[in-house]
mmCIF file of all heavy atoms in Angstrom:
data_model
loop_
_atom_site.group_PDB
_atom_site.id
_atom_site.type_symbol
_atom_site.label_atom_id
_atom_site.label_comp_id
_atom_site.label_asym_id
_atom_site.label_seq_id
_atom_site.Cartn_x
_atom_site.Cartn_y
_atom_site.Cartn_z
ATOM 1 N N MET A 1 -13.932 -7.447 4.471
ATOM 2 C CA MET A 1 -12.901 -6.493 4.569
ATOM 3 C C MET A 1 -11.724 -7.114 5.268
ATOM 4 O O MET A 1 -11.842 -7.950 6.250
ATOM 5 C CB MET A 1 -13.443 -5.329 5.449
ATOM 6 C CG MET A 1 -12.696 -4.011 5.317
ATOM 7 S SD MET A 1 -13.019 -3.114 3.868
ATOM 8 C CE MET A 1 -14.023 -1.863 4.521
ATOM 9 N N ARG A 2 -10.515 -6.874 4.720
ATOM 10 C CA ARG A 2 -9.256 -7.414 5.311
ATOM 11 C C ARG A 2 -8.145 -6.515 5.113
ATOM 12 O O ARG A 2 -8.116 -5.725 4.263
ATOM 13 C CB ARG A 2 -9.039 -8.826 4.818
ATOM 14 C CG ARG A 2 -8.427 -8.893 3.447
ATOM 15 C CD ARG A 2 -8.290 -10.362 2.984
ATOM 16 N NE ARG A 2 -7.926 -10.496 1.603
ATOM 17 C CZ ARG A 2 -6.743 -10.502 1.083
ATOM 18 N NH1 ARG A 2 -5.658 -10.497 1.921
ATOM 19 N NH2 ARG A 2 -6.432 -10.599 -0.189
ATOM 20 N N THR A 3 -7.083 -6.677 5.886
ATOM 21 C CA THR A 3 -5.982 -5.904 5.832
ATOM 22 C C THR A 3 -4.767 -6.741 5.399
ATOM 23 O O THR A 3 -4.655 -7.946 5.752
ATOM 24 C CB THR A 3 -5.656 -5.225 7.213
ATOM 25 O OG1 THR A 3 -6.778 -4.466 7.633
ATOM 26 C CG2 THR A 3 -4.354 -4.488 7.132
ATOM 27 N N ALA A 4 -3.894 -6.256 4.501
ATOM 28 C CA ALA A 4 -2.763 -6.929 3.944
ATOM 29 C C ALA A 4 -1.606 -6.043 4.102
ATOM 30 O O ALA A 4 -1.637 -4.798 3.847
ATOM 31 C CB ALA A 4 -3.000 -7.309 2.528
ATOM 32 N N HIS A 5 -0.461 -6.534 4.364
ATOM 33 C CA HIS A 5 0.882 -5.914 4.496
ATOM 34 C C HIS A 5 1.665 -6.266 3.356
ATOM 35 O O HIS A 5 1.866 -7.356 3.031
ATOM 36 C CB HIS A 5 1.498 -6.138 5.740
ATOM 37 C CG HIS A 5 0.858 -5.674 6.965
ATOM 38 N ND1 HIS A 5 -0.211 -6.461 7.666
ATOM 39 C CD2 HIS A 5 0.799 -4.575 7.573
ATOM 40 C CE1 HIS A 5 -0.821 -5.825 8.655
ATOM 41 N NE2 HIS A 5 -0.177 -4.547 8.654
ATOM 42 N N ARG A 6 2.140 -5.261 2.492
ATOM 43 C CA ARG A 6 2.931 -5.427 1.391
ATOM 44 C C ARG A 6 3.948 -4.329 1.418
ATOM 45 O O ARG A 6 4.048 -3.519 2.182
ATOM 46 C CB ARG A 6 2.023 -5.314 0.102
ATOM 47 C CG ARG A 6 1.018 -6.321 -0.067
ATOM 48 C CD ARG A 6 1.595 -7.750 -0.264
ATOM 49 N NE ARG A 6 0.613 -8.777 -0.477
ATOM 50 C CZ ARG A 6 -0.017 -9.443 0.428
ATOM 51 N NH1 ARG A 6 0.265 -9.263 1.804
ATOM 52 N NH2 ARG A 6 -0.970 -10.280 0.213
ATOM 53 N N THR A 7 4.895 -4.435 0.309
ATOM 54 C CA THR A 7 5.948 -3.435 0.135
ATOM 55 C C THR A 7 5.631 -2.791 -1.233
ATOM 56 O O THR A 7 5.199 -3.475 -2.167
ATOM 57 C CB THR A 7 7.315 -3.977 0.157
ATOM 58 O OG1 THR A 7 7.425 -4.997 -0.759
ATOM 59 C CG2 THR A 7 7.675 -4.352 1.660
ATOM 60 N N CYS A 8 5.862 -1.554 -1.388
ATOM 61 C CA CYS A 8 5.817 -0.751 -2.615
ATOM 62 C C CYS A 8 6.870 -1.164 -3.611
ATOM 63 O O CYS A 8 8.115 -1.057 -3.245
ATOM 64 C CB CYS A 8 5.793 0.676 -2.411
ATOM 65 S SG CYS A 8 5.664 1.648 -3.924
ATOM 66 N N PRO A 9 6.559 -1.660 -4.880
ATOM 67 C CA PRO A 9 7.552 -2.024 -5.772
ATOM 68 C C PRO A 9 8.072 -0.908 -6.749
ATOM 69 O O PRO A 9 8.832 -1.209 -7.574
ATOM 70 C CB PRO A 9 6.658 -3.075 -6.592
ATOM 71 C CG PRO A 9 5.372 -2.472 -6.643
ATOM 72 C CD PRO A 9 5.213 -1.778 -5.336
ATOM 73 N N LEU A 10 7.632 0.309 -6.390
ATOM 74 C CA LEU A 10 7.873 1.384 -7.536
ATOM 75 C C LEU A 10 9.277 1.991 -7.423
ATOM 76 O O LEU A 10 9.760 2.628 -8.403
ATOM 77 C CB LEU A 10 6.828 2.429 -7.339
ATOM 78 C CG LEU A 10 5.424 2.026 -7.557
ATOM 79 C CD1 LEU A 10 4.445 3.146 -7.533
ATOM 80 C CD2 LEU A 10 5.321 1.376 -8.960
ATOM 81 N N CYS A 11 9.994 1.911 -6.290
ATOM 82 C CA CYS A 11 11.478 2.448 -6.221
ATOM 83 C C CYS A 11 12.225 1.686 -5.144
ATOM 84 O O CYS A 11 11.627 0.825 -4.435
ATOM 85 C CB CYS A 11 11.382 3.881 -6.089
ATOM 86 S SG CYS A 11 11.368 4.509 -4.408
ATOM 87 N N GLU A 12 13.493 1.980 -5.118
ATOM 88 C CA GLU A 12 14.431 1.259 -4.244
ATOM 89 C C GLU A 12 14.110 1.484 -2.735
ATOM 90 O O GLU A 12 14.651 0.686 -1.949
ATOM 91 C CB GLU A 12 15.918 1.626 -4.624
ATOM 92 C CG GLU A 12 16.255 3.010 -4.302
ATOM 93 C CD GLU A 12 15.820 4.058 -5.367
ATOM 94 O OE1 GLU A 12 15.064 3.645 -6.278
ATOM 95 O OE2 GLU A 12 16.264 5.201 -5.164
ATOM 96 N N ALA A 13 13.328 2.430 -2.416
ATOM 97 C CA ALA A 13 12.968 2.664 -0.988
ATOM 98 C C ALA A 13 12.174 1.484 -0.415
ATOM 99 O O ALA A 13 12.253 1.243 0.774
ATOM 100 C CB ALA A 13 12.239 3.895 -0.847
ATOM 101 N N VAL A 14 11.405 0.843 -1.146
ATOM 102 C CA VAL A 14 10.569 -0.315 -0.772
ATOM 103 C C VAL A 14 9.727 -0.025 0.485
ATOM 104 O O VAL A 14 9.869 -0.821 1.440
ATOM 105 C CB VAL A 14 11.428 -1.640 -0.622
ATOM 106 C CG1 VAL A 14 10.657 -2.811 -0.649
ATOM 107 C CG2 VAL A 14 12.533 -1.612 -1.802
ATOM 108 N N CYS A 15 9.029 0.981 0.487
ATOM 109 C CA CYS A 15 8.267 1.361 1.663
ATOM 110 C C CYS A 15 7.201 0.355 2.074
ATOM 111 O O CYS A 15 6.616 -0.351 1.037
ATOM 112 C CB CYS A 15 7.470 2.662 1.461
ATOM 113 S SG CYS A 15 8.709 4.085 1.093
ATOM 114 N N GLY A 16 6.962 0.173 3.388
ATOM 115 C CA GLY A 16 5.908 -0.790 3.831
ATOM 116 C C GLY A 16 4.514 -0.200 3.654
ATOM 117 O O GLY A 16 4.415 1.038 3.899
ATOM 118 N N LEU A 17 3.606 -1.018 3.194
ATOM 119 C CA LEU A 17 2.189 -0.558 2.913
ATOM 120 C C LEU A 17 1.310 -1.421 3.766
ATOM 121 O O LEU A 17 1.519 -2.649 3.995
ATOM 122 C CB LEU A 17 1.886 -0.803 1.438
ATOM 123 C CG LEU A 17 2.779 -0.035 0.491
ATOM 124 C CD1 LEU A 17 2.313 -0.414 -0.971
ATOM 125 C CD2 LEU A 17 2.743 1.518 0.592
ATOM 126 N N ARG A 18 0.241 -0.655 4.054
ATOM 127 C CA ARG A 18 -0.920 -1.404 4.763
ATOM 128 C C ARG A 18 -2.150 -1.177 3.919
ATOM 129 O O ARG A 18 -2.674 -0.180 3.860
ATOM 130 C CB ARG A 18 -1.075 -0.827 6.187
ATOM 131 C CG ARG A 18 -2.170 -1.569 7.035
ATOM 132 C CD ARG A 18 -2.270 -1.009 8.424
ATOM 133 N NE ARG A 18 -1.177 -1.476 9.170
ATOM 134 C CZ ARG A 18 -1.022 -1.107 10.499
ATOM 135 N NH1 ARG A 18 -1.853 -0.369 11.047
ATOM 136 N NH2 ARG A 18 0.105 -1.533 11.171
ATOM 137 N N LEU A 19 -2.564 -2.293 3.264
ATOM 138 C CA LEU A 19 -3.752 -2.203 2.274
ATOM 139 C C LEU A 19 -4.960 -2.710 2.963
ATOM 140 O O LEU A 19 -4.991 -3.727 3.767
ATOM 141 C CB LEU A 19 -3.424 -3.201 1.173
ATOM 142 C CG LEU A 19 -2.066 -3.009 0.447
ATOM 143 C CD1 LEU A 19 -1.979 -4.062 -0.663
ATOM 144 C CD2 LEU A 19 -1.860 -1.730 -0.103
ATOM 145 N N THR A 20 -6.011 -2.105 2.634
ATOM 146 C CA THR A 20 -7.453 -2.567 3.084
ATOM 147 C C THR A 20 -8.071 -3.066 1.706
ATOM 148 O O THR A 20 -8.134 -2.285 0.755
ATOM 149 C CB THR A 20 -8.250 -1.490 3.780
ATOM 150 O OG1 THR A 20 -7.469 -0.944 4.925
ATOM 151 C CG2 THR A 20 -9.541 -1.943 4.326
ATOM 152 N N LEU A 21 -8.641 -4.251 1.870
ATOM 153 C CA LEU A 21 -9.311 -4.814 0.711
ATOM 154 C C LEU A 21 -10.781 -5.159 1.065
ATOM 155 O O LEU A 21 -11.087 -5.604 2.231
ATOM 156 C CB LEU A 21 -8.605 -6.110 0.149
ATOM 157 C CG LEU A 21 -7.250 -5.900 -0.260
ATOM 158 C CD1 LEU A 21 -6.186 -6.100 0.874
ATOM 159 C CD2 LEU A 21 -6.857 -6.805 -1.421
ATOM 160 N N ASP A 22 -11.641 -4.936 0.084
ATOM 161 C CA ASP A 22 -13.073 -5.315 0.326
ATOM 162 C C ASP A 22 -13.163 -6.805 0.182
ATOM 163 O O ASP A 22 -12.238 -7.535 -0.301
ATOM 164 C CB ASP A 22 -14.024 -4.421 -0.413
ATOM 165 C CG ASP A 22 -13.884 -4.642 -1.817
ATOM 166 O OD1 ASP A 22 -13.321 -5.693 -2.285
ATOM 167 O OD2 ASP A 22 -14.380 -3.868 -2.695
ATOM 168 N N ASP A 23 -14.452 -7.200 0.242
ATOM 169 C CA ASP A 23 -14.677 -8.713 0.120
ATOM 170 C C ASP A 23 -14.501 -9.274 -1.303
ATOM 171 O O ASP A 23 -14.400 -10.479 -1.496
ATOM 172 C CB ASP A 23 -16.141 -9.037 0.516
ATOM 173 C CG ASP A 23 -16.384 -8.815 2.044
ATOM 174 O OD1 ASP A 23 -15.365 -8.749 2.730
ATOM 175 O OD2 ASP A 23 -17.591 -8.571 2.474
ATOM 176 N N THR A 24 -14.483 -8.439 -2.223
ATOM 177 C CA THR A 24 -14.193 -8.876 -3.718
ATOM 178 C C THR A 24 -12.742 -8.811 -4.042
ATOM 179 O O THR A 24 -12.447 -9.144 -5.151
ATOM 180 C CB THR A 24 -15.044 -8.027 -4.590
ATOM 181 O OG1 THR A 24 -14.528 -6.619 -4.658
ATOM 182 C CG2 THR A 24 -16.426 -8.010 -4.432
ATOM 183 N N GLY A 25 -11.949 -8.353 -3.084
ATOM 184 C CA GLY A 25 -10.505 -8.223 -3.339
ATOM 185 C C GLY A 25 -9.979 -6.894 -3.916
ATOM 186 O O GLY A 25 -8.799 -6.753 -4.222
ATOM 187 N N HIS A 26 -10.895 -5.892 -3.965
ATOM 188 C CA HIS A 26 -10.561 -4.672 -4.457
ATOM 189 C C HIS A 26 -9.864 -3.800 -3.380
ATOM 190 O O HIS A 26 -10.294 -3.830 -2.234
ATOM 191 C CB HIS A 26 -11.765 -3.827 -4.992
ATOM 192 C CG HIS A 26 -12.336 -4.407 -6.287
ATOM 193 N ND1 HIS A 26 -11.741 -3.953 -7.477
ATOM 194 C CD2 HIS A 26 -13.169 -5.361 -6.532
ATOM 195 C CE1 HIS A 26 -12.516 -4.622 -8.419
ATOM 196 N NE2 HIS A 26 -13.250 -5.473 -7.853
ATOM 197 N N VAL A 27 -8.834 -3.127 -3.673
ATOM 198 C CA VAL A 27 -8.060 -2.312 -2.755
ATOM 199 C C VAL A 27 -8.782 -1.114 -2.428
ATOM 200 O O VAL A 27 -9.138 -0.261 -3.323
ATOM 201 C CB VAL A 27 -6.712 -2.007 -3.198
ATOM 202 C CG1 VAL A 27 -6.072 -1.051 -2.231
ATOM 203 C CG2 VAL A 27 -5.757 -3.174 -3.508
ATOM 204 N N THR A 28 -9.225 -0.851 -1.235
ATOM 205 C CA THR A 28 -10.076 0.318 -0.866
ATOM 206 C C THR A 28 -9.176 1.389 -0.149
ATOM 207 O O THR A 28 -9.584 2.574 -0.064
ATOM 208 C CB THR A 28 -11.236 -0.035 0.079
ATOM 209 O OG1 THR A 28 -10.676 -0.748 1.254
ATOM 210 C CG2 THR A 28 -12.197 -1.064 -0.721
ATOM 211 N N SER A 29 -8.042 1.072 0.339
ATOM 212 C CA SER A 29 -7.169 1.952 1.057
ATOM 213 C C SER A 29 -5.701 1.635 0.987
ATOM 214 O O SER A 29 -5.411 0.390 1.111
ATOM 215 C CB SER A 29 -7.599 2.033 2.450
ATOM 216 O OG SER A 29 -6.713 2.896 3.202
ATOM 217 N N VAL A 30 -4.850 2.487 0.710
ATOM 218 C CA VAL A 30 -3.345 2.164 0.804
ATOM 219 C C VAL A 30 -2.752 3.332 1.661
ATOM 220 O O VAL A 30 -2.808 4.410 1.502
ATOM 221 C CB VAL A 30 -2.693 2.400 -0.621
ATOM 222 C CG1 VAL A 30 -1.200 2.110 -0.560
ATOM 223 C CG2 VAL A 30 -3.400 1.351 -1.559
ATOM 224 N N LYS A 31 -2.178 2.794 2.811
ATOM 225 C CA LYS A 31 -1.481 3.716 3.733
ATOM 226 C C LYS A 31 -0.086 3.133 4.082
ATOM 227 O O LYS A 31 0.182 1.931 3.871
ATOM 228 C CB LYS A 31 -2.243 3.816 4.981
ATOM 229 C CG LYS A 31 -3.669 4.491 4.676
ATOM 230 C CD LYS A 31 -4.421 4.801 5.997
ATOM 231 C CE LYS A 31 -5.638 5.569 5.538
ATOM 232 N NZ LYS A 31 -6.581 5.779 6.775
ATOM 233 N N GLY A 32 0.787 4.021 4.550
ATOM 234 C CA GLY A 32 2.064 3.532 5.043
ATOM 235 C C GLY A 32 1.822 2.655 6.286
ATOM 236 O O GLY A 32 0.947 2.825 7.076
ATOM 237 N N ASP A 33 2.647 1.645 6.405
ATOM 238 C CA ASP A 33 2.747 0.674 7.470
ATOM 239 C C ASP A 33 3.506 1.239 8.663
ATOM 240 O O ASP A 33 4.876 1.391 8.515
ATOM 241 C CB ASP A 33 3.241 -0.635 7.053
ATOM 242 C CG ASP A 33 3.203 -1.663 8.186
ATOM 243 O OD1 ASP A 33 2.777 -1.283 9.345
ATOM 244 O OD2 ASP A 33 3.557 -2.818 7.877
ATOM 245 N N PRO A 34 3.011 1.618 9.712
ATOM 246 C CA PRO A 34 3.820 2.292 10.806
ATOM 247 C C PRO A 34 4.763 1.365 11.434
ATOM 248 O O PRO A 34 5.593 1.809 12.133
ATOM 249 C CB PRO A 34 2.599 2.752 11.726
ATOM 250 C CG PRO A 34 1.433 2.060 11.452
ATOM 251 C CD PRO A 34 1.549 1.671 10.011
ATOM 252 N N ASP A 35 4.531 -0.001 11.252
ATOM 253 C CA ASP A 35 5.373 -1.015 11.834
ATOM 254 C C ASP A 35 6.573 -1.381 10.969
ATOM 255 O O ASP A 35 7.454 -2.162 11.325
ATOM 256 C CB ASP A 35 4.447 -2.291 12.205
ATOM 257 C CG ASP A 35 3.560 -2.062 13.166
ATOM 258 O OD1 ASP A 35 3.674 -1.199 14.095
ATOM 259 O OD2 ASP A 35 2.391 -2.587 13.036
ATOM 260 N N ASP A 36 6.608 -0.802 9.716
ATOM 261 C CA ASP A 36 7.726 -1.085 8.868
ATOM 262 C C ASP A 36 8.976 -0.376 9.433
ATOM 263 O O ASP A 36 8.907 0.812 9.772
ATOM 264 C CB ASP A 36 7.515 -0.516 7.465
ATOM 265 C CG ASP A 36 8.638 -0.935 6.464
ATOM 266 O OD1 ASP A 36 9.586 -0.132 6.478
ATOM 267 O OD2 ASP A 36 8.488 -1.961 5.784
ATOM 268 N N PRO A 37 10.052 -1.167 9.624
ATOM 269 C CA PRO A 37 11.304 -0.614 10.326
ATOM 270 C C PRO A 37 11.964 0.457 9.558
ATOM 271 O O PRO A 37 12.734 1.229 10.115
ATOM 272 C CB PRO A 37 12.182 -1.806 10.518
ATOM 273 C CG PRO A 37 11.731 -2.780 9.400
ATOM 274 C CD PRO A 37 10.180 -2.574 9.193
ATOM 275 N N PHE A 38 11.795 0.575 8.276
ATOM 276 C CA PHE A 38 12.533 1.653 7.453
ATOM 277 C C PHE A 38 11.727 2.733 7.205
ATOM 278 O O PHE A 38 12.013 3.910 7.362
ATOM 279 C CB PHE A 38 12.993 0.976 6.159
ATOM 280 C CG PHE A 38 14.067 -0.164 6.320
ATOM 281 C CD1 PHE A 38 13.786 -1.446 6.115
ATOM 282 C CD2 PHE A 38 15.368 0.110 6.939
ATOM 283 C CE1 PHE A 38 14.745 -2.437 6.401
ATOM 284 C CE2 PHE A 38 16.191 -0.773 7.152
ATOM 285 C CZ PHE A 38 15.987 -2.136 6.944
ATOM 286 N N SER A 39 10.497 2.604 6.565
ATOM 287 C CA SER A 39 9.685 3.762 6.231
ATOM 288 C C SER A 39 8.778 4.201 7.294
ATOM 289 O O SER A 39 8.302 5.365 7.224
ATOM 290 C CB SER A 39 8.740 3.340 4.878
ATOM 291 O OG SER A 39 8.026 2.169 5.156
ATOM 292 N N LYS A 40 8.534 3.482 8.380
ATOM 293 C CA LYS A 40 7.892 3.904 9.553
ATOM 294 C C LYS A 40 6.535 4.616 9.280
ATOM 295 O O LYS A 40 6.233 5.600 9.916
ATOM 296 C CB LYS A 40 8.757 4.856 10.307
ATOM 297 C CG LYS A 40 10.156 4.155 10.734
ATOM 298 C CD LYS A 40 10.913 5.159 11.530
ATOM 299 C CE LYS A 40 12.258 4.493 11.944
ATOM 300 N NZ LYS A 40 12.306 3.310 12.498
ATOM 301 N N GLY A 41 5.851 4.119 8.290
ATOM 302 C CA GLY A 41 4.450 4.690 8.023
ATOM 303 C C GLY A 41 4.382 5.722 7.006
ATOM 304 O O GLY A 41 3.197 6.093 6.679
ATOM 305 N N PHE A 42 5.582 6.148 6.493
ATOM 306 C CA PHE A 42 5.538 7.193 5.488
ATOM 307 C C PHE A 42 5.553 6.618 4.013
ATOM 308 O O PHE A 42 6.210 5.564 3.751
ATOM 309 C CB PHE A 42 6.782 8.120 5.578
ATOM 310 C CG PHE A 42 6.760 8.973 6.859
ATOM 311 C CD1 PHE A 42 7.276 8.466 8.053
ATOM 312 C CD2 PHE A 42 6.108 10.233 6.848
ATOM 313 C CE1 PHE A 42 7.221 9.268 9.191
ATOM 314 C CE2 PHE A 42 5.963 10.938 8.039
ATOM 315 C CZ PHE A 42 6.585 10.460 9.201
ATOM 316 N N VAL A 43 4.875 7.172 3.179
ATOM 317 C CA VAL A 43 4.959 6.832 1.770
ATOM 318 C C VAL A 43 4.868 8.140 0.956
ATOM 319 O O VAL A 43 4.352 9.140 1.431
ATOM 320 C CB VAL A 43 3.768 5.791 1.315
ATOM 321 C CG1 VAL A 43 3.979 4.459 1.953
ATOM 322 C CG2 VAL A 43 2.441 6.448 1.585
ATOM 323 N N CYS A 44 5.248 8.109 -0.346
ATOM 324 C CA CYS A 44 5.162 9.205 -1.213
ATOM 325 C C CYS A 44 3.922 9.129 -2.006
ATOM 326 O O CYS A 44 3.101 8.043 -1.919
ATOM 327 C CB CYS A 44 6.403 9.251 -2.193
ATOM 328 S SG CYS A 44 6.266 8.059 -3.520
ATOM 329 N N PRO A 45 3.396 10.135 -2.692
ATOM 330 C CA PRO A 45 2.220 10.110 -3.446
ATOM 331 C C PRO A 45 2.127 8.852 -4.453
ATOM 332 O O PRO A 45 0.973 8.409 -4.733
ATOM 333 C CB PRO A 45 2.238 11.411 -4.249
ATOM 334 C CG PRO A 45 3.102 12.331 -3.340
ATOM 335 C CD PRO A 45 4.125 11.414 -2.847
ATOM 336 N N LYS A 46 3.124 8.451 -5.015
ATOM 337 C CA LYS A 46 3.093 7.326 -5.909
ATOM 338 C C LYS A 46 2.649 6.013 -5.120
ATOM 339 O O LYS A 46 1.816 5.207 -5.637
ATOM 340 C CB LYS A 46 4.469 6.930 -6.598
ATOM 341 C CG LYS A 46 4.852 7.994 -7.676
ATOM 342 C CD LYS A 46 6.118 7.593 -8.358
ATOM 343 C CE LYS A 46 7.257 7.594 -7.332
ATOM 344 N NZ LYS A 46 8.487 7.388 -8.041
ATOM 345 N N GLY A 47 3.213 5.813 -3.949
ATOM 346 C CA GLY A 47 2.807 4.720 -3.175
ATOM 347 C C GLY A 47 1.336 4.660 -2.735
ATOM 348 O O GLY A 47 0.597 3.765 -2.822
ATOM 349 N N ALA A 48 0.948 5.939 -2.330
ATOM 350 C CA ALA A 48 -0.454 6.150 -1.796
ATOM 351 C C ALA A 48 -1.467 5.880 -2.965
ATOM 352 O O ALA A 48 -2.568 5.623 -2.617
ATOM 353 C CB ALA A 48 -0.665 7.539 -1.285
ATOM 354 N N SER A 49 -1.036 5.988 -4.193
ATOM 355 C CA SER A 49 -1.992 5.836 -5.315
ATOM 356 C C SER A 49 -2.016 4.508 -5.949
ATOM 357 O O SER A 49 -2.622 4.217 -7.036
ATOM 358 C CB SER A 49 -1.673 6.856 -6.478
ATOM 359 O OG SER A 49 -0.477 6.577 -7.027
ATOM 360 N N LEU A 50 -1.255 3.582 -5.363
ATOM 361 C CA LEU A 50 -1.132 2.132 -5.819
ATOM 362 C C LEU A 50 -2.488 1.477 -6.007
ATOM 363 O O LEU A 50 -2.707 0.598 -7.008
ATOM 364 C CB LEU A 50 -0.264 1.280 -4.930
ATOM 365 C CG LEU A 50 1.207 1.435 -5.282
ATOM 366 C CD1 LEU A 50 2.033 0.521 -4.229
ATOM 367 C CD2 LEU A 50 1.569 0.883 -6.659
ATOM 368 N N GLY A 51 -3.436 1.730 -5.150
ATOM 369 C CA GLY A 51 -4.753 1.106 -5.371
ATOM 370 C C GLY A 51 -5.394 1.542 -6.590
ATOM 371 O O GLY A 51 -5.987 0.683 -7.324
ATOM 372 N N ARG A 52 -5.361 2.769 -6.814
ATOM 373 C CA ARG A 52 -5.927 3.239 -8.215
ATOM 374 C C ARG A 52 -5.212 2.769 -9.366
ATOM 375 O O ARG A 52 -5.791 2.440 -10.437
ATOM 376 C CB ARG A 52 -6.041 4.808 -8.116
ATOM 377 C CG ARG A 52 -7.110 5.302 -7.100
ATOM 378 C CD ARG A 52 -7.287 6.833 -7.281
ATOM 379 N NE ARG A 52 -6.000 7.572 -6.981
ATOM 380 C CZ ARG A 52 -5.643 7.992 -5.718
ATOM 381 N NH1 ARG A 52 -6.417 7.800 -4.747
ATOM 382 N NH2 ARG A 52 -4.635 8.660 -5.571
ATOM 383 N N ILE A 53 -3.869 2.737 -9.269
ATOM 384 C CA ILE A 53 -3.095 2.155 -10.384
ATOM 385 C C ILE A 53 -3.475 0.657 -10.638
ATOM 386 O O ILE A 53 -3.543 0.273 -11.849
ATOM 387 C CB ILE A 53 -1.515 2.269 -10.101
ATOM 388 C CG1 ILE A 53 -1.154 3.775 -9.952
ATOM 389 C CG2 ILE A 53 -0.760 1.446 -11.090
ATOM 390 C CD1 ILE A 53 0.312 3.923 -9.544
ATOM 391 N N ASP A 54 -3.682 -0.020 -9.621
ATOM 392 C CA ASP A 54 -3.994 -1.465 -9.661
ATOM 393 C C ASP A 54 -5.386 -1.645 -10.437
ATOM 394 O O ASP A 54 -5.475 -2.610 -11.110
ATOM 395 C CB ASP A 54 -4.045 -2.017 -8.239
ATOM 396 C CG ASP A 54 -4.398 -3.510 -8.342
ATOM 397 O OD1 ASP A 54 -3.597 -4.307 -9.011
ATOM 398 O OD2 ASP A 54 -5.408 -3.935 -7.716
ATOM 399 N N GLU A 55 -6.224 -0.694 -10.275
ATOM 400 C CA GLU A 55 -7.632 -0.833 -10.821
ATOM 401 C C GLU A 55 -7.675 -0.096 -12.273
ATOM 402 O O GLU A 55 -8.778 -0.194 -12.852
ATOM 403 C CB GLU A 55 -8.592 -0.393 -10.007
ATOM 404 C CG GLU A 55 -8.657 -1.221 -8.810
ATOM 405 C CD GLU A 55 -9.927 -1.067 -7.920
ATOM 406 O OE1 GLU A 55 -10.795 -0.327 -8.418
ATOM 407 O OE2 GLU A 55 -10.022 -1.703 -6.897
ATOM 408 N N ASP A 56 -6.608 0.533 -12.727
ATOM 409 C CA ASP A 56 -6.630 1.237 -13.977
ATOM 410 C C ASP A 56 -6.698 0.263 -15.138
ATOM 411 O O ASP A 56 -5.799 -0.569 -15.289
ATOM 412 C CB ASP A 56 -5.409 2.039 -13.994
ATOM 413 C CG ASP A 56 -5.528 3.017 -15.299
ATOM 414 O OD1 ASP A 56 -6.281 2.737 -16.212
ATOM 415 O OD2 ASP A 56 -4.652 4.029 -15.338
ATOM 416 N N PRO A 57 -7.793 0.269 -15.855
ATOM 417 C CA PRO A 57 -7.986 -0.700 -17.020
ATOM 418 C C PRO A 57 -6.871 -0.460 -18.080
ATOM 419 O O PRO A 57 -6.613 -1.410 -18.913
ATOM 420 C CB PRO A 57 -9.384 -0.382 -17.528
ATOM 421 C CG PRO A 57 -9.700 0.873 -17.154
ATOM 422 C CD PRO A 57 -8.935 1.193 -15.808
HETATM 423 S S1 SF4 B 1 6.076 4.762 -1.505
HETATM 424 FE FE1 SF4 B 1 7.111 6.035 -3.005
HETATM 425 S S2 SF4 B 1 9.114 6.233 -1.914
HETATM 426 FE FE2 SF4 B 1 8.166 4.448 -1.143
HETATM 427 S S3 SF4 B 1 8.809 2.712 -2.395
HETATM 428 FE FE3 SF4 B 1 6.882 3.522 -3.318
HETATM 429 S S4 SF4 B 1 7.481 4.944 -4.875
HETATM 430 FE FE4 SF4 B 1 9.256 4.619 -3.578
#
């Protein structure tokens, strides 16, 4: 299990994301990054669903 910090690529707001990944690299959680200076931990439903989008075949 590890945590990665990224930005959402889906719109110009570029919200900060805090991802949790399991040992195989699968995203298990996507949350807003409270340390991001602009989005301050908030994301919209599209950003919160990025993990499921990433795994959609
Ligand atoms: S989380 Fe939503 S508002 Fe933020 S960059 Fe992604 S799509 Fe845009």
Side-chain angles (χ1 to χ4, degrees):
M1 201 78 104
R2 69 184 175 94
T3 301
H5 295 87
R6 298 290 185 271
T7 54
C8 176
L10 297 180
C11 85
E12 68 279 5
V14 196
C15 296
L17 303 175
R18 186 175 285 180
L19 312 177
T20 304
L21 300 94
D22 66 18
D23 293 337
T24 65
H26 290 275
V27 176
T28 58
S29 170
V30 178
K31 295 188 173 169
D33 181 357
D35 295 327
D36 185 274
F38 296 111
S39 56
K40 301 183 186 308
F42 292 94
V43 291
C44 78
K46 289 187 293 184
S49 65
L50 274 176
R52 290 189 296 272
I53 293 170
D54 182 54
E55 296 198 2
D56 187 340

